[in-house]
Amino acid sequence: MTVAAPSWLPRRRWRTWLVIGLIVLLGGGAIAALHKAPANQYLSPGSLGADGTHALGDILAGLGRQVSTKTDARAAIRAVTAGSTLVITSPEYLSGAELSALARVPANVLIVQPDVAALRAMAVPVSLTGKAEPVTVTSPACSLAAATLAGTADMGGRNLFVTVPATTTQECYTSTSGPTLVQLPQHGRTVTLLATGAPLTNARLASVGDAALAINLLPSRRIVWLVPAPVAVAAAPAGRRTFTSLLPLAVYLVVIQLAIAAALAAAWRARRLGPLVAEPLPVVVRAAETTEGHGRLYQSRHARAQAADALRSALLSRLVPAVGLPRGAGQEAVVTALAQRTRSGSPDLARLLYGPAPTSDEALLTVARDLDKLEKEVGAT
């Protein structure tokens, strides 16, 4: 007889797994949000920090110039037009393909703190030389109108070296080993290279001629200001990338959390070690009913072989110790010992205890009766 489980058990299990799933999803979402790539605040018109350019953006807006801030290279390319100026900050966060695409825009270009990849992509005859110089007040020492009108400014950084000098190239604010501001024409537009972003920042804009220099270098009515996000730096290395190298850190953290949750769930559902705990049964089933239920189950499946094996195994577990044999004794020893205690011969006992499975219900009933008779006979001796 089978006892149905209470109807609330499947519902409780379903709710438990639902709660675990929701906890994992919420935890993964929280981790992904917390580890979202932070916005680049350096030289950003939206930043009020010391290294932001919010003050410069306000001054340019007051002069009637429209400053549009972009954090994606593709958006910046779509925004620029002929006659506008594209300001590129943190070029080290841009990939080679993005730099090449930015180099083809029809607008004027101002690159702050260019690196080797940016200079190569712009195809200008300028390279980097020496080490980064500290920012100091420097005289323009050139004929560029934007610099001469501004006068001294806070300049420094990695010095620029013009590899192909030309009369149209302006080299200003020369430091120990080279200029820190270079401006040259290229394909009908003007390309300006600024070795440091110091004169543009909120902290130094009011110092010496920094504000005048920044305003004079951005004379266009429309200015597109590109502030790439730091996450873009992952695309810079060349060569084939593996799938795992393209996954952000948050993915790994979520996977680790899922693994921990799975391990905890497995530990929760695993078999407990320790003494058995007695629990009250919802229904008391009599042994006779259980035996009858097993018999009906065997009968419904025509499992005569399994039923005979169960009867024989149960009888042997009781008779073997009764005749003085250890449990697990061999067939020959069991048959010999029983033959000495009964009137049956060894062949008949071997066939009864270890013989083939019955092929009909009548044969199974005969085996059960003979086994019962044998047990009574052994018990009577």
Side-chain angles (χ1 to χ4, degrees), residues 7-378:
S7 59
W8 50 266
L9 284 180
R11 188 178 304 171
R12 171 176 289 184
R13 293 174 182 172
W14 178 79
R15 288 178 178 176
T16 301
W17 285 110
L18 178 61
V19 171
I20 293 175
L22 290 176
I23 292 175
V24 171
L25 291 177
L26 292 176
I31 291 176
L34 291 175
H35 288 82
K36 184 179 180 180
N40 185 10
Q41 299 297 321
Y42 179 61
L43 300 182
S44 172
S47 174
L48 298 174
D51 59 353
T53 56
H54 186 272
L56 177 59
D58 284 348
I59 293 175
L60 292 174
L63 296 175
R65 302 173 192 176
Q66 180 185 359
V67 179
S68 177
T69 305
K70 304 294 181 182
T71 59
D72 181 72
R74 290 172 296 182
I77 293 172
R78 291 192 298 266
V80 296
T81 57
S84 62
T85 298
L86 172 63
V87 179
I88 302 176
T89 66
S90 304
E92 67 274 11
Y93 292 154
L94 298 170
S95 66
E98 290 172 332
L99 288 171
S100 299
L102 292 169
R104 294 190 295 269
V105 297
N108 299 323
V109 178
L110 170 62
I111 304 180
V112 184
Q113 295 177 214
D115 56 3
V116 175
L119 295 175
R120 186 182 300 113
M122 297 301 298
V124 292
V126 179
S127 62
L128 299 177
T129 181
K131 62 181 181 179
E133 300 287 344
V135 175
T136 58
V137 177
T138 310
S139 300
C142 66
S143 59
L144 179 64
T148 56
L149 291 175
T152 57
D154 292 317
M155 300 295 292
R158 190 82 179 270
N159 296 153
L160 305 170
F161 177 73
V162 180
T163 57
V164 183
T167 56
T168 55
T169 301
Q170 296 290 340
E171 303 178 34
C172 304
Y173 299 100
T174 302
S175 184
T176 56
S177 58
T180 56
L181 187 155
V182 173
Q183 189 177 88
L184 67 160
Q186 184 191 57
H187 308 304
R189 63 179 183 177
T190 300
V191 176
T192 304
L193 307 174
L194 198 60
T196 177
L200 310 179
T201 61
N202 298 327
R204 294 180 178 268
L205 191 64
S207 175
V208 289
D210 292 351
L213 177 63
I215 295 171
N216 294 336
L217 291 177
L218 300 170
S220 304
R221 285 288 182 181
R222 177 173 174 76
I223 301 169
V224 177
W225 202 290
L226 175 59
V227 186
V231 71
V233 73
R240 187 181 296 275
R241 303 295 304 278
T242 62
F243 173 75
T244 54
S245 66
L246 300 176
L247 297 177
L249 176 62
V251 173
Y252 291 98
L253 296 176
V254 171
V255 170
I256 292 174
Q257 186 185 33
L258 290 175
I260 294 174
L264 293 176
W268 169 55
R269 300 295 296 174
R271 178 174 296 178
R272 301 296 192 272
L273 301 178
L276 297 177
V277 178
E279 295 183 2
L281 297 176
V283 178
V284 178
V285 182
R286 294 183 177 85
E289 294 181 2
T290 303
T291 303
E292 183 180 357
H294 287 172
R296 289 179 178 177
L297 181 62
Y298 285 136
Q299 184 181 17
S300 65
R301 299 302 177 187
H302 303 288
R304 302 183 186 92
Q306 290 83 354
D309 289 341
L311 293 174
R312 288 166 172 168
S313 299
L315 178 63
L316 287 173
S317 66
R318 296 190 296 269
L319 292 185
V320 169
V323 297
L325 294 176
R327 294 187 183 275
Q331 174 181 337
E332 184 178 353
V334 173
V335 171
T336 302
L338 290 177
Q340 296 174 358
R341 303 282 294 270
T342 63
R343 294 186 298 273
S344 302
S346 297
D348 294 335
L349 290 173
R351 183 169 53 257
L352 176 61
L353 296 174
Y354 302 101
T359 57
S360 63
D361 291 343
E362 291 76 9
L364 177 61
L365 183 60
T366 300
V367 170
R369 289 173 177 173
D370 291 344
L371 291 174
D372 184 61
K373 179 181 178 181
L374 176 61
E375 184 175 12
K376 291 179 180 179
E377 187 176 357
V378 173

